[in-house]
Amino acid sequence: MTLSEITTIREKLLADLDGIGAADQLEAFKLAHLTRKGTIGAMFDDLRSVSKEEKPLAGKELNALRQLVEERFKEKESLYTAGAGVGIRHAIDLTMLARAVSVSAPGHEHPLMKTLNEMVSIFERMGFAVEYGPEVEDDEHNFEKLNFAPDHPARDMQDTFFVRSNPLAQQGEGAGPAPTLGEAAPLLLRTHTSPVQVRLMERQKPPIRAIMPGRVYRNEAISARSGVAFFMMEGLVVGPGVSMADLKGVLLSFAKQFFGSDAKIRLRPSFFPFTEPSAEVDVSCYICGGKGCRVCKNSGWLEILGAGMVHPNVLSASGIDPEVYTGYAFGIGVDRTAMMRYGVNDIRDFFENDARFLEQF
Ligand code: PHE
């Protein structure tokens, strides 16, 4: 046995001890190395074979080795021995700060979905069916059958996201309107949920009473007031003798259920290609009750939706006889309404998924 063998064995034992992770391994280590017949005991026996000159130093080294390994062993043992209260302190630091666990807000609806679902259930209670349609649309349903003129600015790339663009548009001005049907027709992300109205009318004869909630896309600069995707909920009612008075009645009822029983509405003349007459609809400011405040910019009114009587061209484009049936339609922007309702100043807050924001709803 040489001094370097002693060093090698010391390193090996300490490494083994370090690697121990359970009480039974500790017991096995003790039997293998620390008993009379174990590794260290056998080394003491071996001292006899060491030369006279080296013996004092080897003995000293061996004693130091035994002391060190026994010390480390005891440290380890104190971690695993039941009831060794003092040792347990090393394993579990009771003074360590706990990770915050949110028990008050275990998960809930996103404020936009909360707003949309509430709108949907108000209309469901009034007898409206819920209809959905594709988000990738063709020109025919998003524009053509909704009475948009071929050169309407909404068809422009600056306003609409095209999935498959108009091949003729590259040829510059004078190329004429894009083909709206067939292979060459452009595909786009719907800019409103009105195409779902068209699809419904193509499929179902009056009476029709439905709402169409969903996501829509517009090629707009992102700002505090607008993003490139937002939610809309449209409504459509078609039947014999459906009038503007019916529209007003339904919207007033909605406003009272959504904003509170004191809510009033007012209609201002407006324009949409697919409705005639058309109106912008305002609701009395739910903050000041119409007296004028910061939220309504002292006007007492908040703009909430667009509406009107379905244009006869739209009815006939979808196979419904405008001489027999009339209808009304309306469209509400969900994000803006949610902003108003919850006093959110920046629309982007809805999409940043900051838990500190979301937990407030
Ligand atoms: N589609 C219109 C928009 O995108 C909203 C609307 C729907 C207006 C139905 C009138 C009737 O703004």
Side-chain angles (χ1 to χ4, degrees), residues 136-198:
V136 176
E137 265 295 3
D138 48 26
D139 184 278
E140 180 191 352
H141 290 91
N142 196 80
F143 295 125
E144 175 87 354
K145 289 188 165 177
L146 286 163
N147 202 34
F148 280 79
D151 56 353
H152 192 282
R155 281 181 153 137
D156 201 281
M157 305 252 271
Q158 265 65 50
D159 290 305
T160 302
F161 288 115
F162 286 90
V163 174
R164 186 175 70 200
S165 66
N166 164 19
L168 300 180
Q170 317 303 327
Q171 298 168 19
E173 304 258 338
T180 53
L181 293 167
E183 294 286 285
L187 280 181
L188 46 90
L189 296 181
R190 67 179 181 194
T191 58
H192 49 183
T193 37
S194 306
V196 189
Q197 300 185 12
V198 176

Side-chain angles (χ1 to χ4, degrees), residues 25-234:
Q25 292 168 354
L26 208 58
E27 194 53 33
F29 182 91
K30 188 174 179 175
L31 285 174
H33 308 298
L34 300 180
T35 51
R36 181 68 198 79
K37 296 258 170 259
T39 312
I40 296 175
M43 286 168 88
F44 273 102
D45 289 343
D46 241 317
L47 265 182
R48 271 178 264 133
S49 65
V50 175
S51 67
K52 253 203 168 73
E53 298 77 11
E54 277 187 14
K55 204 177 270 179
L57 190 55
K60 212 173 145 209
E61 284 296 319
L62 218 44
N63 271 321
L65 179 147
R66 181 167 60 187
Q67 210 183 340
L68 184 65
V69 173
E70 281 180 348
E71 240 173 60
R72 294 283 172 84
F73 180 85
K74 280 204 184 102
E75 270 173 35
K76 252 308 199 240
E77 193 178 40
S78 70
L79 296 180
Y80 294 104
T81 314
V86 180
I88 292 236
R89 269 214 318 255
H90 299 283
I92 304 168
D93 181 358
L94 294 175
T95 65
M96 198 162 93
L97 287 177
R99 227 173 253 262
V101 177
S102 174
V103 284
S104 57
H108 53 86
E109 278 179 316
H110 188 277
L112 286 180
M113 286 303 104
K114 213 165 150 169
T115 306
L116 180 59
N117 289 338
E118 203 175 316
M119 288 177 176
V120 169
S121 63
I122 288 172
F123 281 100
E124 275 182 328
R125 286 200 296 271
M126 294 196 280
F128 284 71
V130 184
E131 293 289 331
Y132 300 96
E135 294 186 13
V136 176
E137 265 295 3
D138 48 26
D139 184 278
E140 180 191 352
H141 290 91
N142 196 80
F143 295 125
E144 175 87 354
K145 289 188 165 177
L146 286 163
N147 202 34
F148 280 79
D151 56 353
H152 192 282
R155 281 181 153 137
D156 201 281
M157 305 252 271
Q158 265 65 50
D159 290 305
T160 302
F161 288 115
F162 286 90
V163 174
R164 186 175 70 200
S165 66
N166 164 19
L168 300 180
Q170 317 303 327
Q171 298 168 19
E173 304 258 338
T180 53
L181 293 167
E183 294 286 285
L187 280 181
L188 46 90
L189 296 181
R190 67 179 181 194
T191 58
H192 49 183
T193 37
S194 306
V196 189
Q197 300 185 12
V198 176
R199 290 183 179 277
L200 179 60
M201 287 190 286
E202 286 173 339
R203 208 174 62 230
Q204 186 188 316
K205 294 304 138 210
I208 290 172
R209 184 164 52 188
I211 48 168
M212 299 87 185
R215 200 182 269 248
V216 304
Y217 302 85
R218 291 190 193 169
N219 194 0
E220 283 176 20
I222 295 170
S223 72
R225 296 275 302 154
S226 61
V228 292
F230 57 97
F231 288 91
M232 283 196 90
M233 198 201 68
E234 292 204 16

Side-chain angles (χ1 to χ4, degrees), residues 257-279:
Q257 292 179 68
F258 190 81
F259 291 102
S261 54
D262 293 336
K264 295 179 197 49
I265 58 166
R266 83 174 175 188
L267 276 66
R268 285 179 288 112
S270 183
F271 176 80
F272 298 104
F274 36 89
T275 47
E276 182 59 36
S278 305

